[in-house]
Amino acid sequence: MNLKDGETFALGLRTWLKVASRQSMPYLQPLAVGPLPRALPKPRYAALRTLYDPSQPPSPESILDSDALVLYFPAPKTVTGEDVLELHVHGGTATVRAVLAAIPRCLPPPSPSPSTRTIAPPPIRYAEPGEFTRRAFLHDRLSLPQIEALGDTLAAHTEQQRRVAVRGSSTTSTSLASTYEAWRQQLLAARGELEALIDFSEDQQFEESPAQLVGGVAGRVARLAERMRVHARNATRGELVRNGISLALLGAPNAGKSSLLNRIVGREAAIVSHEAGTTRDVVEVGLDLGGWYVRMGDMAGLRRGGSQAAVAPEAAEAEAAEGKSNGDLQSVKVSRADDATGQKHVVGAIELEGIRRAQERALASDVVLVVLSLEAGADVSGDPLLRLDAEVVHTARRCRNVVVAINKIDLLGDNASSPARWVRTIQRVLPEVQAGRIFAISCRDASPSSPEMGSTLQQQDSGGIQALLAGLIQQFEDLTAAIVPDDAGSAPDKSIWQESLGATERQRRLLDECATHLDRFLEGMRTDKNELALGDEAVSVGDDVDVVVAAEDLRLAAECLAKITGKGESGDVEEVLGVVFEK
């Protein structure tokens, strides 16, 4: 073997078949044993075997697969808690079909004589969707959060989706299931203290007074409720990674939104034309951008037509005028016309609907990329004019997480002044946008880019597209970073908050419900909110606290956590199992 070019690897073309059985394992031996009297392989050791049709005598005609790997896993230390036989066969369709058809034929035919009739083994059948996972759950091999994370792992298409799913399936002490169970135990302990006070307050002497005991419970519950809220907020950030970050391209007609979209995705996803208003509906493209799944939408350009084009200057122009003394306004054109020529066109009903949808999509997006453009012509410094459309500025101000791209910098001459003054002007009309979130680009000069990024950021970036993508990725990182509560500074392990990014929407809803019960508990305690904010070990409570109602609130809160892990005594555990396993 010549290894001068290095060792190689490839995806194997084998299919993995798994059989889980309580009583039928002995009957499966003829399939994997063949003509020689060999037993199943040594547990947890792979063996190369020839698979034969169990309904025929072993011969070359009855061979199903001549080079199959067979592994035997005895209960209970298996994925399902039962005996498991794995058959790794060649991945051809005919081979897989033949082996699948032979597995049910391993059982002996029923005895025709009543005197020799024995108890028949259970039939071997195809597993229902998610049945192996259900068996693993019923045998305590997997928790419900781990199963949900398994579904996310199988559905992951990007690197960040995979990382979030792996966090949810962790088996460490900071895993989601361990965290929820620890919180549930804390609530049960707190409830036990209150119920002890109810049952034995008249007969037993406690080291603390009833007010001190209840106050200590309230202090611990308040801190736990705050941690749950942070956990739920992190779960929302994790949902952004799983469901995709919504990014909207916002700008005036002919600002270059469609060209930018095509450059980023590497294909002609949107129509590019010099005619204004060619994009009427939202053109949405899903892509992997630096490991994040992004739903990027190109939308209709925002403009006004007809008599609306001659209205008095908008607030954007008024605020920009405040910088007139330093000359920044000389490079700005606050536009209410349809195009750079100042011509006014009537905007039709279809385009108006497209503009309405564009504004709606921008306001609902997680990140908004505002595309501004330079226009031919010159200011007093000889540079092209920067087009700041009032309608675009007005919409961008109402959006969140705004990034700005100044397009068509290819119009700049070799002796053009620094774009820094344009950055200052943009920050005057969009004060929430930091200078590091404003990028100068040229779709004409840009080299084709790869949505996966990788090493492309290190390549020559003549059009500034890669720098823009790097800025967007930094924005995605900020949006999806785990939140750490203030009282976690001295915590022994902060990784629990990283794990909380893997919490699913179902878990988040139950956490919110649990926090609602805890809030009701604290309201019933009539605690001082200032004491709760200080995080005291014990807080003062009212004199007329109904301990019975308070204990019930803790029970309901603990039951919400039990539903998350699948241990709820009441509720929708079976319904949840059905939905989760079918995925």
Side-chain angles (χ1 to χ4, degrees), residues 153-197:
T153 300
L154 298 177
H157 293 286
T158 69
E159 175 63 14
Q160 296 301 324
Q161 289 176 331
R162 183 196 64 80
R163 291 185 180 183
V164 167
V166 169
R167 289 190 179 105
S169 61
S170 172
T171 58
T172 63
S173 59
T174 59
S175 66
L176 293 177
S178 300
T179 299
Y180 298 143
E181 182 60 22
W183 288 350
R184 189 176 77 93
Q185 293 298 330
Q186 293 180 40
L187 292 179
L188 292 178
R191 176 190 170 195
E193 292 185 43
L194 295 183
E195 291 186 344
L197 186 63

Side-chain angles (χ1 to χ4, degrees), residues 337-552:
D338 286 358
D339 51 36
T341 64
Q343 296 179 353
K344 303 170 185 176
H345 302 284
V346 175
V347 178
I350 295 179
E351 186 175 352
L352 282 176
E353 175 62 19
I355 292 174
R356 185 195 66 79
R357 293 187 181 187
Q359 292 174 323
E360 185 179 73
R361 173 69 156 76
L363 294 174
S365 296
D366 303 309
V367 179
V368 174
L369 178 56
V370 177
V371 182
L372 306 177
S373 64
L374 301 181
E375 294 182 358
D379 56 20
V380 293
S381 65
D383 291 341
L385 295 171
L386 173 65
R387 182 181 181 186
L388 267 179
D389 190 277
E391 192 71 16
V392 173
V393 172
H394 175 69
T395 303
R397 284 176 172 172
R398 296 183 291 157
C399 297
R400 53 184 177 173
N401 303 317
V402 175
V403 178
V404 177
I406 305 174
N407 192 23
K408 303 181 184 179
I409 60 171
D410 51 279
L411 297 177
L412 295 175
D414 295 334
N415 300 322
S417 58
S418 171
R421 58 198 184 100
W422 292 334
V423 173
R424 293 193 299 269
T425 300
I426 292 172
Q427 287 186 295
R428 283 190 178 87
V429 295
L430 296 174
E432 299 298 325
V433 180
Q434 301 175 2
R437 294 287 189 261
I438 302 175
F439 302 89
I441 65 170
S442 171
C443 294
R444 175 174 296 179
D445 292 343
S447 56
S449 62
S450 171
E452 291 81 3
M453 299 292 291
S455 62
T456 56
L457 288 176
Q458 308 300 327
Q459 299 174 358
Q460 183 178 0
D461 187 20
S462 58
I465 301 295
Q466 301 299 338
L468 171 62
L469 295 182
L472 289 175
I473 290 174
Q474 182 61 53
Q475 183 74 56
F476 301 156
E477 291 177 352
D478 295 341
L479 280 177
T480 57
I483 303 171
V484 179
D486 296 334
D487 63 346
S490 59
D493 192 349
K494 298 180 182 179
S495 60
I496 178 178
W497 306 111
Q498 293 293 335
E499 304 288 352
S500 62
L501 292 172
T504 63
E505 182 181 1
R506 182 190 71 87
Q507 296 169 23
R508 179 187 58 78
R509 290 199 306 267
L510 287 170
L511 284 174
D512 290 339
E513 183 180 346
C514 181
T516 299
H517 291 302
L518 296 184
D519 289 340
R520 188 182 299 116
F521 166 85
L522 295 174
E523 291 175 2
M525 293 289 102
R526 292 170 174 78
T527 54
D528 186 344
K529 293 184 178 180
N530 293 327
E531 289 185 275
L532 294 179
L534 292 175
D536 296 337
E537 289 294 329
V539 297
S540 58
V541 297
D543 297 329
D544 54 345
V545 172
D546 192 331
V547 182
V548 176
V549 174
E552 177 64 12

Side-chain angles (χ1 to χ4, degrees), residues 9-30:
F9 64 91
L11 183 65
L13 296 179
R14 280 185 175 267
T15 298
W16 171 46
L17 306 178
K18 182 165 56 179
V19 182
S21 175
R22 300 181 182 88
Q23 306 175 25
S24 302
M25 195 59 64
Y27 299 99
L28 294 172
Q29 292 189 20

Side-chain angles (χ1 to χ4, degrees), residues 2 15 25 41 57 88 135 156 233 239 271 301 315 318 446 479 485 498 566 568:
N2 186 356
T15 298
M25 195 59 64
H88 297 249
R135 291 188 179 190
R233 290 171 61 191
E239 289 171 21
I271 299 175
L479 280 177
Q498 293 293 335

